[in-house]
């Protein structure tokens, strides 16, 4: 996975818990304390998962809590700073969710070897969609956590029902 995901985790930990905690997480994950991640570089998927796991161990938080913190930070703090112009005009969570293939394409086109997830949508009704999450990584739980972060971003309530590891039903208020 691209280093930008790990950079986001690093920034989140540094700001919420401090450098010493980040160093503990790095070392628990098999890196030295001097490890640097570059946004466009490749970090093996298992290393990213390991860093998430070490974050749980070091902070005492559950995987769900860490995913939710990541999702919230990713969409409310990290990407607006770096990629804000891709979604500044977007007014609702639904709109952003439906634009995600386009956004991933635009933001990763200059990152060699990036393979972001793809999404297909079944429009069940005006306010309800079923999202098909397509990725070899099986990280639908992270997708859901980012959607939860989006609900905060747009100050909306979104009903989220995980149907399977490939499908999630989203119910919007508007
Ligand atoms: C401007 C905003 C965004 C940018 C720049 C961005 C960029 C990226 C990048 C670079 C990756 C790694 C791809 C790779 O290493 O092959 C990624 C992965 C991912 N993105 Fe995004 N993304 C954005 C918004 C979102 C949002 C809003 C969601 C969900 C609602 C999302 C869901 C995911 C998930 C679940 C992955 C994990 C990889 C996988 O499932 O295969 N992203 N994104």
């Amino acid at each position: 996975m691209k280093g930008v995901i790990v950079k986001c985790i690093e920034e989140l930990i540094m700001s919420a818990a401090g450098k010493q905690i980040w160093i503990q997480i790095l070392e628990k994950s098999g890196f030295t304390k001097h490890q640097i991640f570059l946004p466009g570089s490749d970090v093996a998927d298992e290393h990213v998962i390991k860093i998430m796991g070490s974050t749980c161990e070091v902070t005492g938080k559950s995987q769900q809590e860490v995913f939710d913190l990541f999702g919230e930070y990713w969409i409310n703090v990290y990407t607006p700073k770096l990629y804000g112009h891709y979604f500044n005009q977007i007014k609702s969570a639904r709109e952003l969710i439906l634009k995600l293939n386009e956004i991933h394409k635009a933001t990763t086109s200059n990152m060699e070897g990036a393979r972001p997830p793809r999404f297909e949508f079944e429009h069940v009704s005006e306010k309800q969609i079923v999202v098909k999450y397509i990725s070899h990584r099986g990280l639908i739980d992270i997708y859901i956590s980012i959607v939860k972060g989006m609900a905060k971003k747009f100050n909306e309530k979104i009903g989220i029902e995980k149907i399977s590891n490939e499908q999630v039903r989203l119910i919007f208020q508007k």
Side-chain angles (χ1 to χ4, degrees):
M1 196 130 53
K2 287 297 168 187
V4 66
I5 306 291
V6 184
K7 292 292 298 173
C8 174
I9 303 172
E10 175 182 349
E11 191 184 292
L12 164 61
I13 302 290
M14 291 271 224
S15 63
K19 191 170 180 180
Q20 288 314 313
I21 297 292
W22 176 242
I23 288 173
Q24 280 183 44
I25 291 168
L26 276 179
E27 289 178 341
K28 215 176 228 322
S29 308
F31 296 100
T32 72
K33 66 177 181 182
H34 304 295
Q35 179 69 39
I36 287 170
F37 298 98
L38 299 173
S41 68
D42 286 305
V43 182
D45 288 353
E46 52 273 28
H47 287 159
V48 179
I49 300 299
K50 184 93 186 111
I51 289 169
M52 293 274 196
S54 304
T55 302
C56 297
E57 284 178 49
V58 170
T59 62
K61 293 189 185 304
S62 66
Q63 175 173 285
Q64 186 65 59
E65 286 171 318
V66 168
F67 281 2
D68 286 352
L69 285 169
F70 170 80
E72 187 175 341
Y73 198 84
W74 178 251
I75 203 63
N76 289 295
V77 183
Y78 196 79
T79 54
K81 278 191 295 195
L82 293 179
Y83 303 95
H85 54 289
Y86 288 103
F87 55 87
N88 276 342
Q89 309 299 324
I90 294 179
K91 298 279 178 286
S92 70
R94 181 188 162 96
E95 205 185 325
L96 179 50
I97 282 162
L98 293 175
K99 276 226 169 110
L100 211 49
N101 285 329
E102 221 176 282
I103 292 174
H104 268 150
K105 200 169 167 197
T107 56
T108 60
S109 63
N110 62 349
M111 288 185 182
E112 202 186 321
R115 289 169 70 194
R118 283 191 309 110
F119 305 96
E120 286 174 5
F121 306 101
E122 182 194 332
H123 296 266
V124 178
S125 69
E126 202 192 321
K127 292 185 179 161
Q128 194 180 137
I129 55 176
V130 171
V131 181
K132 186 166 184 206
Y133 161 89
I134 305 162
S135 165
H136 62 291
R137 298 195 180 94
L139 296 175
I140 195 168
D141 292 333
I142 293 188
Y143 174 76
I144 290 172
S145 292
I146 303 176
V147 171
K148 288 185 194 169
M150 254 188 238
K152 289 199 180 162
K153 180 182 180 72
F154 293 102
N155 199 16
E156 293 179 32
K157 281 199 163 55
I158 306 175
I160 304 172
E161 182 203 333
K162 181 176 168 183
I163 300 170
S164 68
N165 285 332
E166 286 87 36
Q167 279 190 309
V168 58
R169 184 186 310 278
L170 301 177
I171 302 166
F172 301 95
Q173 287 178 313
K174 50 183 177 183

Short mmCIF file of all heavy atoms in Angstrom, two decimals, residues 40-70:
data_model
loop_
_atom_site.label_atom_id
_atom_site.label_comp_id
_atom_site.label_asym_id
_atom_site.label_seq_id
_atom_site.Cartn_x
_atom_site.Cartn_y
_atom_site.Cartn_z
N GLY A 40 4.67 8.44 -1.71
CA GLY A 40 4.53 7.67 -2.96
C GLY A 40 5.21 6.31 -2.94
O GLY A 40 5.11 5.54 -3.90
N SER A 41 5.93 6.00 -1.85
CA SER A 41 6.67 4.73 -1.82
C SER A 41 5.72 3.58 -1.48
O SER A 41 4.62 3.78 -0.99
CB SER A 41 7.79 4.81 -0.78
OG SER A 41 7.20 4.89 0.49
N ASP A 42 6.18 2.35 -1.75
CA ASP A 42 5.35 1.19 -1.45
C ASP A 42 5.71 0.60 -0.10
O ASP A 42 6.87 0.40 0.20
CB ASP A 42 5.54 0.11 -2.53
CG ASP A 42 4.85 0.50 -3.82
OD1 ASP A 42 3.63 0.76 -3.77
OD2 ASP A 42 5.52 0.57 -4.86
N VAL A 43 4.68 0.35 0.70
CA VAL A 43 4.87 -0.32 1.99
C VAL A 43 4.05 -1.61 1.88
O VAL A 43 2.88 -1.56 1.50
CB VAL A 43 4.32 0.55 3.16
CG1 VAL A 43 4.57 -0.12 4.50
CG2 VAL A 43 4.94 1.94 3.13
N ALA A 44 4.69 -2.74 2.16
CA ALA A 44 3.98 -4.02 2.01
C ALA A 44 2.68 -3.98 2.82
O ALA A 44 2.66 -3.46 3.94
CB ALA A 44 4.87 -5.16 2.49
N ASP A 45 1.60 -4.52 2.23
CA ASP A 45 0.30 -4.49 2.91
C ASP A 45 0.40 -5.07 4.32
O ASP A 45 -0.19 -4.55 5.27
CB ASP A 45 -0.75 -5.29 2.12
CG ASP A 45 -1.18 -4.57 0.85
OD1 ASP A 45 -0.76 -3.40 0.66
OD2 ASP A 45 -1.92 -5.17 0.05
N GLU A 46 1.19 -6.16 4.45
CA GLU A 46 1.27 -6.78 5.79
C GLU A 46 1.96 -5.86 6.80
O GLU A 46 1.67 -5.91 7.99
CB GLU A 46 1.89 -8.19 5.76
CG GLU A 46 3.21 -8.32 5.07
CD GLU A 46 3.10 -8.57 3.55
OE1 GLU A 46 2.11 -8.16 2.93
OE2 GLU A 46 4.04 -9.17 3.01
N HIS A 47 2.84 -4.99 6.31
CA HIS A 47 3.48 -4.03 7.23
C HIS A 47 2.48 -2.97 7.70
O HIS A 47 2.50 -2.55 8.84
CB HIS A 47 4.69 -3.36 6.58
CG HIS A 47 5.87 -4.28 6.46
ND1 HIS A 47 6.90 -4.07 5.57
CD2 HIS A 47 6.18 -5.42 7.12
CE1 HIS A 47 7.78 -5.05 5.68
NE2 HIS A 47 7.37 -5.88 6.62
N VAL A 48 1.61 -2.57 6.77
CA VAL A 48 0.59 -1.57 7.14
C VAL A 48 -0.34 -2.17 8.20
O VAL A 48 -0.66 -1.54 9.21
CB VAL A 48 -0.21 -1.09 5.90
CG1 VAL A 48 -1.27 -0.07 6.30
CG2 VAL A 48 0.74 -0.51 4.85
N ILE A 49 -0.75 -3.41 7.96
CA ILE A 49 -1.64 -4.10 8.91
C ILE A 49 -0.93 -4.28 10.25
O ILE A 49 -1.52 -4.11 11.33
CB ILE A 49 -2.09 -5.48 8.34
CG1 ILE A 49 -2.83 -5.28 7.01
CG2 ILE A 49 -2.91 -6.27 9.33
CD1 ILE A 49 -4.10 -4.45 7.08
N LYS A 50 0.36 -4.59 10.18
CA LYS A 50 1.15 -4.75 11.40
C LYS A 50 1.20 -3.44 12.20
O LYS A 50 1.06 -3.43 13.43
CB LYS A 50 2.57 -5.21 11.00
CG LYS A 50 3.51 -5.52 12.11
CD LYS A 50 3.47 -7.00 12.45
CE LYS A 50 4.30 -7.30 13.66
NZ LYS A 50 3.78 -7.68 14.85
N ILE A 51 1.39 -2.33 11.49
CA ILE A 51 1.44 -1.03 12.17
C ILE A 51 0.10 -0.72 12.84
O ILE A 51 0.04 -0.24 13.97
CB ILE A 51 1.84 0.09 11.16
CG1 ILE A 51 3.32 -0.07 10.79
CG2 ILE A 51 1.58 1.48 11.74
CD1 ILE A 51 3.78 0.78 9.62
N MET A 52 -1.00 -1.08 12.14
CA MET A 52 -2.34 -0.89 12.75
C MET A 52 -2.44 -1.75 14.01
O MET A 52 -2.95 -1.30 15.04
CB MET A 52 -3.44 -1.31 11.77
CG MET A 52 -3.57 -0.44 10.54
SD MET A 52 -4.66 0.97 10.88
CE MET A 52 -5.06 1.58 9.26
N GLY A 53 -1.99 -3.00 13.91
CA GLY A 53 -2.06 -3.94 15.06
C GLY A 53 -1.21 -3.44 16.22
O GLY A 53 -1.65 -3.49 17.39
N SER A 54 0.01 -2.96 15.92
CA SER A 54 0.88 -2.45 16.99
C SER A 54 0.26 -1.21 17.63
O SER A 54 0.42 -0.98 18.84
CB SER A 54 2.26 -2.07 16.44
OG SER A 54 2.83 -3.17 15.79
N THR A 55 -0.44 -0.42 16.82
CA THR A 55 -1.10 0.78 17.36
C THR A 55 -2.13 0.35 18.41
O THR A 55 -2.24 0.96 19.48
CB THR A 55 -1.77 1.58 16.22
OG1 THR A 55 -0.76 1.94 15.27
CG2 THR A 55 -2.45 2.83 16.74
N CYS A 56 -2.86 -0.73 18.12
CA CYS A 56 -3.83 -1.25 19.10
C CYS A 56 -3.10 -1.67 20.38
O CYS A 56 -3.50 -1.29 21.48
CB CYS A 56 -4.56 -2.48 18.56
SG CYS A 56 -5.56 -2.15 17.11
N GLU A 57 -2.02 -2.44 20.22
CA GLU A 57 -1.31 -2.96 21.40
C GLU A 57 -0.74 -1.83 22.25
O GLU A 57 -0.88 -1.82 23.47
CB GLU A 57 -0.16 -3.88 20.96
CG GLU A 57 -0.64 -5.25 20.52
CD GLU A 57 0.53 -6.09 20.04
OE1 GLU A 57 1.56 -6.18 20.75
OE2 GLU A 57 0.43 -6.64 18.92
N VAL A 58 -0.09 -0.86 21.58
CA VAL A 58 0.59 0.20 22.34
C VAL A 58 -0.41 1.16 22.99
O VAL A 58 -0.20 1.62 24.11
CB VAL A 58 1.59 0.96 21.42
CG1 VAL A 58 2.14 2.20 22.09
CG2 VAL A 58 2.73 0.03 21.00
N THR A 59 -1.51 1.43 22.29
CA THR A 59 -2.46 2.42 22.84
C THR A 59 -3.57 1.77 23.66
O THR A 59 -4.35 2.45 24.32
CB THR A 59 -3.13 3.25 21.71
OG1 THR A 59 -3.88 2.35 20.88
CG2 THR A 59 -2.11 3.99 20.87
N GLY A 60 -3.70 0.44 23.57
CA GLY A 60 -4.75 -0.25 24.31
C GLY A 60 -6.13 -0.11 23.66
O GLY A 60 -7.15 -0.42 24.26
N LYS A 61 -6.15 0.37 22.42
CA LYS A 61 -7.43 0.53 21.72
C LYS A 61 -7.73 -0.71 20.88
O LYS A 61 -6.82 -1.42 20.47
CB LYS A 61 -7.39 1.77 20.82
CG LYS A 61 -7.30 3.06 21.61
CD LYS A 61 -7.48 4.27 20.72
CE LYS A 61 -7.25 5.56 21.48
NZ LYS A 61 -8.11 5.72 22.66
N SER A 62 -9.03 -0.93 20.62
CA SER A 62 -9.42 -2.07 19.79
C SER A 62 -9.15 -1.75 18.32
O SER A 62 -8.95 -0.58 17.96
CB SER A 62 -10.91 -2.36 19.97
OG SER A 62 -11.66 -1.28 19.44
N GLN A 63 -9.18 -2.79 17.48
CA GLN A 63 -8.98 -2.57 16.04
C GLN A 63 -10.05 -1.62 15.50
O GLN A 63 -9.76 -0.73 14.71
CB GLN A 63 -9.01 -3.89 15.29
CG GLN A 63 -8.92 -3.69 13.79
CD GLN A 63 -8.79 -4.96 13.03
OE1 GLN A 63 -7.74 -5.58 13.01
NE2 GLN A 63 -9.87 -5.37 12.40
N GLN A 64 -11.27 -1.82 15.95
CA GLN A 64 -12.37 -0.96 15.50
C GLN A 64 -12.10 0.51 15.85
O GLN A 64 -12.29 1.40 15.03
CB GLN A 64 -13.69 -1.43 16.15
CG GLN A 64 -14.92 -0.70 15.65
CD GLN A 64 -15.17 -0.98 14.17
OE1 GLN A 64 -15.34 -2.12 13.79
NE2 GLN A 64 -15.16 0.05 13.35
N GLU A 65 -11.64 0.73 17.09
CA GLU A 65 -11.35 2.11 17.50
C GLU A 65 -10.24 2.73 16.65
O GLU A 65 -10.34 3.90 16.25
CB GLU A 65 -10.95 2.16 18.99
CG GLU A 65 -12.11 1.96 19.94
CD GLU A 65 -11.65 1.78 21.40
OE1 GLU A 65 -10.65 1.05 21.64
OE2 GLU A 65 -12.30 2.35 22.28
N VAL A 66 -9.20 1.93 16.39
CA VAL A 66 -8.08 2.46 15.60
C VAL A 66 -8.53 2.74 14.17
O VAL A 66 -8.22 3.80 13.60
CB VAL A 66 -6.87 1.49 15.65
CG1 VAL A 66 -5.81 1.86 14.62
CG2 VAL A 66 -6.25 1.50 17.05
N PHE A 67 -9.31 1.84 13.56
CA PHE A 67 -9.83 2.08 12.21
C PHE A 67 -10.68 3.35 12.19
O PHE A 67 -10.58 4.18 11.29
CB PHE A 67 -10.69 0.90 11.73
CG PHE A 67 -9.90 -0.30 11.25
CD1 PHE A 67 -8.52 -0.32 11.28
CD2 PHE A 67 -10.56 -1.42 10.75
CE1 PHE A 67 -7.79 -1.43 10.84
CE2 PHE A 67 -9.85 -2.53 10.29
CZ PHE A 67 -8.48 -2.53 10.33
N ASP A 68 -11.54 3.51 13.21
CA ASP A 68 -12.43 4.69 13.25
C ASP A 68 -11.62 5.98 13.39
O ASP A 68 -11.93 6.99 12.76
CB ASP A 68 -13.45 4.57 14.39
CG ASP A 68 -14.55 3.56 14.07
OD1 ASP A 68 -14.61 3.06 12.94
OD2 ASP A 68 -15.35 3.26 14.98
N LEU A 69 -10.59 5.94 14.25
CA LEU A 69 -9.75 7.14 14.42
C LEU A 69 -9.04 7.47 13.11
O LEU A 69 -8.96 8.63 12.70
CB LEU A 69 -8.72 6.91 15.54
CG LEU A 69 -9.29 6.97 16.96
CD1 LEU A 69 -8.25 6.47 17.97
CD2 LEU A 69 -9.70 8.40 17.32
N PHE A 70 -8.55 6.41 12.45
CA PHE A 70 -7.88 6.62 11.16
C PHE A 70 -8.87 7.21 10.15
O PHE A 70 -8.57 8.21 9.48
CB PHE A 70 -7.31 5.30 10.62
CG PHE A 70 -6.83 5.42 9.20
CD1 PHE A 70 -5.61 5.99 8.90
CD2 PHE A 70 -7.64 4.99 8.14
CE1 PHE A 70 -5.19 6.15 7.58
CE2 PHE A 70 -7.23 5.15 6.82
CZ PHE A 70 -6.01 5.72 6.54
#
